Amino acid sequence: MTTQTQFDVVIIGSGAGGGASAWALANKGVKVLVLEAGPHYDPEQDYRLHSPEWELQGFPDKLDKTRRYSFARLQTLDRKYDHLRSWNHISGRAVPGRVRRPGQYSHVQGVGGTTLHFTGEAHRLHPDSMNMKSRFGVGADWPVDYQTLEPYYQQVEEFVGVAGPANQTARVRVNPFPQPVHSLSYASQQLARAGQSIGMRWEPNSLAVLSQAKDTRPGCNYCGQCQRGCPRRDKGSVDVTFLPAAVKSGHCTIRARCQVNRLVADDKKHVTAVEFLNEQGVAETVTGKIVMVACGAIETPRLLLNSRSGTIPDGIGNESRQVGRHFMETLAWSSAGLHAENLGSHRGLPADGICWDFNAPDAIPGGVIGGMRLSTFTLENDFAGPVNYATRVVKGWGVEHKRQMKQQLGHVIAIGAIGESLPHKDSYISLDRRQRDALGRPLAQIHSFLDDMAVQRLAFMAQKSRATLKAMGVKSLIEETSTYDIFHSTHVFGTCRMGLDPTQSVVNDHCQHHHWKNLYIVDASVFPSTGGGEAPSLTIEALALRTAEHIHAQLTS
Amino acid sequence: MPFTRRTVLKLALFFGAIAGGVTLTRFFNPQRRQVGQTVDKVTAFVDTLLPAFEGTPSASDIGIPAIIMKKYRRNQRFKSMLLRAEPWLDTTAQQRFAENFVDLNEAQRNDIVQLASQAPMRSLPYQLFSQLREESFRFYYSHPEVLTHLESRAPQPQGFLNHSQPPI
Ligand SMILES: Cc1cc2nc3c(=O)[nH]c(=O)nc-3n(C[C@H](O)[C@H](O)[C@H](O)COP(=O)(O)OP(=O)(O)OC[C@H]3O[C@@H](n4cnc5c(N)ncnc54)[C@H](O)[C@@H]3O)c2cc1C
Ligand code: SF4
């Protein structure tokens, strides 16, 4: 095993949290090493949106990520919620049985992390959702407030190039969005109008997608395929924003295909080294004055829990036994139907329109705590081209199927909703006692439970989605997807909670471990609450910039 | 199936794909013949799902059977499903029309496909129908010739700069 020269900071993971931290530190002259398990992606080569076969593949994963986590048995489905199950009018119910199906923790291993695959929604948290414990008696409060985060939000928005409307519901801004708002697609305009006709306010979404050229990146050309990876680099994923700038500073080294297996510690609660398998599969150790973990809210607790030893039997940083607890997932719903008019709904930005009316934690009527938001979802749900129409939309086969294909292309319209996920004692990440990865390390095991309050929130999301499509004149629905009967998470949170009380949280308000002073966590693991459906990357990045400032001050003091 | 020139060509194409260029004479051994029969049925089935129509190609015109048989060789689960389900086609065709599936006319084949599509979801006939439908539609609707007929194109490099206007 070789040991590398010391870096000021070793960052594990190069996604939203790791990438933003790397830039913020390297830009200040701090010597940074980023270790990333996944490979580099080349937008022009890897994202095949020019090929006629573009629709056959989703995001082009290069590593098998399924061998990193497993599921504990999920809950039994209640008949009274059968109206919330996933179905398609051709293939029927997605889950024929009565047990919730383990689907996916959807993420990417690569330089840039899951932002390579993300849609680019760039949301500030609703300020009220940061005080869930003190205001509503559930979950936990954030130890920082919206005002404290505001300048960091602004900094990220300017650096990445976020486009958004002049006034965004409930978010007080000091400065306007740095990029002009994107116009809604024709299909989204019709959906927004329908929403307005039943009393909902729809507005253009704020997106980390350029509406105008910025530096060497061009403006978006509205191809609608952000989740397959943007070949033009106008989507503000970390690989085309923070990471190249970090490297350009001359103070940041990125090593791809380097899988960190363990943190090494002394008995004074100090992380002394990071052990990893390098690009050639050879074991290496590296040291840093500070170690930042940014592996995402499932892999981060896994790494800490797997870093156990004789003197640290529960894993590094787990003396309060909070690591892995308070896991919060993605509570999501979508409804899709056929519109009589050809909307050309394969065009435009996915999630270009949004309704924030029910986003505040107390906005859903009937005593449901926790908010939700609705957005345009046709392209997020991949109703984007002939393959999806042929297999999911147009029934039958033969001559009539061919005729209908020609008639129905462009007619699908879908709406989606994401809601608050609150901590529950039965939702957590542990180490799998039986299953291990190729290197012999226990997998992360996902435990998830949706309680009645979560299901009621989901029911409200379904009701509003269906009502909006009905107001648009959609007569028949063709597909609905729900996380009630399938666990499927794109946003994960909470497993190394941030807080002021060391017995109830893992890190402090600067994302520094309460006891392990050279250990920081900078991903959505630290979120005490999820917000009412806000996309998390902007907040992860804003927190990372604030943490980097703190670390820089520590290193220079 | 009448052994037309076109069928021979399709089989030659298929064997080129599976055996890296073996000659057609090797087809005349029992194992090959069995695979050949599977190809015939798959071809007839996917051509029923995707017939030539108003200038659009049929599934076999653009090589879909060869793609499906490639999956057959590579994916054990798919192969096992196909081998177990395929006799149902002839049995049912014989019961209803006193002929094998590949010898039926288009209307009769449609009848058999209809039966498969209405079978219980976990049954072999339904699995055969839904998996062949899924596979053939995926490859058919990503073929350049078909996209041209549908006036559909890849999202890049043009994108959709007219996205906020009604479609033309
Ligand atoms: C389809 C989809 C759409 C989304 N859309 C949006 C959106 O519109 N807006 C938004 O804000 N968010 C969106 N998200 C979520 C967003 O991408 C994530 O929340 C965000 O990327 C999380 O950042 P992170 O830094 O915590 O983790 P990630 O971005 O997942 O990065 C973690 C990185 O750490 C690496 N890693 C893990 N373990 C190790 C290890 N042991 N050693 C070395 N490296 C390791 C991983 O390979 C990965 O690259 C979406 C997600 C998906 C899947
Ligand atoms: S819609 Fe815009 S941001 Fe998304 S992939 Fe296409 S060009 Fe890139």
Side-chain angles (χ1 to χ4, degrees):
Chain A
M1 187 179 302
T2 56
T3 302
Q4 280 235 352
T5 46
Q6 179 165 342
F7 289 85
D8 291 326
V9 178
V10 178
I11 301 176
I12 307 166
S14 67
S21 305
W23 171 73
L25 288 166
N27 206 33
K28 290 186 162 70
V30 176
K31 197 174 162 206
V32 175
L33 171 69
V34 180
L35 294 173
E36 167 54 55
H40 282 284
Y41 278 81
D42 175 345
E44 284 85 12
Q45 290 302 313
D46 290 322
Y47 307 142
R48 311 298 302 154
L49 296 180
H50 303 63
S51 155
E53 294 179 358
W54 65 276
E55 218 185 339
L56 291 183
Q57 195 182 21
F59 182 84
D61 284 310
K62 295 184 184 178
L63 298 183
D64 177 11
K65 59 199 181 193
T66 53
R67 293 302 302 155
R68 299 169 74 92
Y69 62 88
S70 64
F71 285 92
R73 190 180 191 275
L74 300 180
Q75 73 207 76
T76 304
L77 301 169
D78 193 329
R79 274 180 213 282
K80 76 175 180 231
Y81 296 129
D82 274 357
H83 61 296
L84 298 178
R85 294 181 63 163
S86 310
W87 62 277
N88 170 281
H89 74 150
I90 296 173
S91 51
R93 255 196 193 158
V95 183
R98 298 222 71 86
V99 178
R100 190 174 183 226
R101 179 196 287 172
Q104 266 192 49
Y105 156 42
S106 181
H107 69 294
V108 170
Q109 288 172 265
V111 174
T114 310
T115 68
L116 300 175
H117 178 30
F118 83 161
T119 309
E121 290 187 293
H123 297 157
R124 298 176 172 206
L125 276 178
H126 192 296
D128 293 351
S129 69
M130 298 172 82
N131 302 307
M132 295 303 287
K133 182 76 180 172
S134 50
R135 292 205 45 193
F136 305 101
V138 295
D141 288 351
W142 285 63
V144 286
D145 59 13
Y146 179 88
Q147 280 73 19
T148 311
L149 280 186
E150 208 281 338
Y152 301 97
Y153 274 137
Q154 185 72 33
Q155 210 183 329
V156 175
E157 287 166 348
E158 266 159 28
F159 186 78
V160 169
V162 174
N167 297 305
Q168 196 171 45
T169 314
R171 275 69 169 176
V172 176
R173 308 181 56 84
V174 174
N175 294 310
F177 280 105
Q179 292 252 323
V181 65
H182 290 280
S183 52
L184 290 181
S185 72
Y186 178 72
S188 301
Q189 290 168 34
Q190 313 310 309
L191 191 77
R193 210 166 287 149
Q196 266 138 18
S197 75
I198 53 169
M200 287 153 73
R201 278 169 304 171
W202 279 75
E203 58 190 74
N205 207 344
S206 46
L207 298 165
V209 172
L210 299 181
S211 51
Q212 290 177 344
K214 180 177 190 305
D215 309 322
T216 55
R217 297 161 56 210
C220 172
N221 70 5
Y222 305 98
C223 79
Q225 295 307 313
C226 313
Q227 289 190 11
R228 287 188 162 83
C230 177
R232 288 165 60 86
R233 301 169 189 255
D234 54 290
K235 183 181 83 168
S237 49
V238 168
D239 60 323
V240 299
T241 54
F242 290 112
L243 289 173
V247 171
K248 202 170 163 198
S249 74
H251 302 291
C252 174
T253 308
I254 300 172
R255 290 186 63 184
R257 294 188 185 271
C258 288
Q259 166 74 50
V260 174
N261 295 322
R262 208 164 75 91
L263 306 182
V264 186
D266 61 17
D267 52 8
K268 297 191 192 81
K269 298 206 185 312
H270 192 86
V271 179
T272 50
V274 173
E275 281 181 11
F276 64 101
L277 276 191
N278 70 14
E279 306 81 328
Q280 280 80 42
V282 177
E284 267 192 57
T285 304
V286 71
T287 58
K289 291 177 194 151
I290 284 172
V291 172
M292 297 175 90
V293 185
C295 301
I298 289 176
E299 284 290 325
T300 287
R302 179 181 180 221
L303 178 61
L304 297 182
L305 295 173
N306 268 330
S307 299
R308 53 195 166 173
S309 62
T311 48
I312 313 163
D314 295 326
I316 282 184
N318 194 23
E319 29 295 288
S320 60
R321 293 190 168 265
Q322 295 287 306
V323 172
R325 291 189 60 196
H326 316 301
F327 173 56
M328 294 173 286
E329 58 185 89
T330 315
L331 192 74
W333 177 267
S334 80
S335 296
L338 271 175
H339 196 266
E341 184 191 350
N342 178 5
L343 303 166
S345 59
H346 56 289
R347 306 167 306 160
L349 276 160
D352 57 355
I354 193 157
C355 168
W356 291 112
D357 288 357
F358 307 99
N359 171 237
D362 51 357
I364 297 181
V368 176
I369 295 170
M372 69 95 169
R373 58 65 185 254
L374 296 142
S375 56
T376 53
F377 215 68
T378 314
L379 292 165
E380 288 228 67
N381 226 346
D382 215 12
F383 290 110
V387 170
N388 277 286
Y389 271 76
T391 53
R392 295 162 67 195
V393 179
V394 180
K395 282 185 171 175
W397 67 89
V399 164
E400 189 50 29
H401 185 273
K402 285 192 160 182
R403 241 188 229 121
Q404 291 300 319
M405 278 295 292
K406 196 125 193 165
Q407 278 176 19
Q408 294 185 11
L409 260 185
H411 287 244
V412 171
I413 184 80
I415 182 167
I418 303 182
E420 175 111 32
S421 172
L422 288 166
H424 187 280
K425 69 175 180 39
D426 295 329
S427 288
Y428 58 96
I429 303 301
S430 66
L431 293 181
D432 191 312
R433 293 203 188 141
R434 285 176 295 120
Q435 297 191 67
R436 290 165 183 261
D437 65 14
L439 305 172
R441 292 166 320 141
L443 304 185
Q445 187 167 51
I446 298 174
H447 303 251
S448 156
F449 185 82
L450 297 183
D451 62 11
D452 252 18
M453 181 73 87
V455 183
Q456 282 177 45
R457 208 174 300 119
L458 202 56
F460 185 76
M461 288 151 59
Q463 181 206 324
K464 286 290 162 195
S465 303
R466 290 169 181 160
T468 314
L469 289 184
K470 194 168 171 207
M472 199 176 164
V474 169
K475 297 229 163 44
S476 58
L477 296 180
I478 54 166
E479 185 178 287
E480 291 186 311
T481 56
S482 163
T483 56
Y484 171 62
D485 56 358
I486 307 176
F487 174 99
H488 185 109
S489 280
T490 51
H491 306 166
V492 288
F493 314 84
T495 50
C496 293
R497 183 190 266 178
M498 178 189 213
L500 298 177
D501 177 356
T503 66
Q504 295 300 313
S505 56
V506 177
V507 295
N508 66 18
D509 57 335
H510 287 292
C511 300
Q512 180 182 33
H513 195 280
H514 286 298
H515 306 295
W516 298 69
K517 296 297 178 195
N518 76 333
L519 175 64
Y520 288 76
I521 296 172
V522 277
D523 56 33
S525 308
V526 304
F527 282 33
S529 62
T530 65
E534 292 88 325
S537 300
L538 190 78
T539 304
I540 298 173
E541 290 164 0
L543 276 175
L545 298 201
R546 184 166 178 271
T547 301
E549 218 171 76
H550 172 81
I551 290 176
H552 180 245
Q554 299 266 303
L555 287 171
T556 49
S557 69
Chain B
M1 176 168 61
F3 225 63
T4 62
R5 201 169 73 91
R6 195 165 189 190
T7 327
V8 174
L9 271 176
K10 278 177 196 163
L11 283 172
L13 259 176
F14 161 66
F15 279 110
I18 67 162
V22 288
T23 60
L24 261 182
T25 47
R26 290 208 33 207
F27 170 57
F28 297 104
N29 76 42
Q31 223 180 351
R32 291 256 161 220
R33 191 156 55 232
Q34 198 197 336
V35 179
Q37 283 164 2
T38 305
V39 185
D40 283 351
K41 283 185 207 159
V42 165
T43 304
F45 200 100
V46 296
D47 275 349
T48 312
L49 298 177
L50 292 159
F53 171 65
E54 289 184 350
T56 60
S58 70
S60 57
D61 286 341
I62 55 170
I64 303 284
I67 293 171
I68 289 178
M69 295 310 286
K70 201 161 151 190
K71 176 164 178 180
Y72 169 91
R73 283 183 302 120
R74 290 191 177 160
N75 182 327
Q76 197 50 46
R77 278 177 70 168
F78 182 70
K79 179 175 178 176
S80 139
M81 183 283 295
L82 206 56
L83 285 179
R84 284 184 305 133
E86 162 209 317
W88 175 87
L89 287 175
D90 281 344
T91 315
T92 315
Q94 283 291 348
Q95 278 166 5
R96 292 175 82 86
F97 305 111
E99 291 209 79
N100 281 343
F101 182 70
V102 293
D103 299 321
L104 302 181
N105 65 33
E106 200 183 325
Q108 291 168 328
R109 282 186 200 163
N110 267 309
D111 207 73
I112 304 286
V113 172
Q114 172 96 30
L115 278 179
S117 77
Q118 290 168 344
M121 278 202 169
R122 290 183 187 201
S123 69
L124 278 173
Y126 184 80
Q127 288 303 316
L128 178 77
F129 165 76
S130 66
Q131 291 191 38
L132 285 184
R133 181 183 190 276
E134 173 88 14
E135 286 303 311
S136 57
F137 283 12
R138 275 168 58 78
F139 290 103
Y140 187 84
Y141 284 105
S142 50
H143 194 277
E145 199 180 325
V146 178
L147 295 190
T148 308
H149 277 282
L150 274 176
E151 293 168 31
S152 176
R153 62 166 169 82
Q156 292 289 359
Q158 293 105 309
F160 300 106
L161 287 165
N162 65 351
H163 70 113
S164 50
Q165 305 302 319
I168 302 155

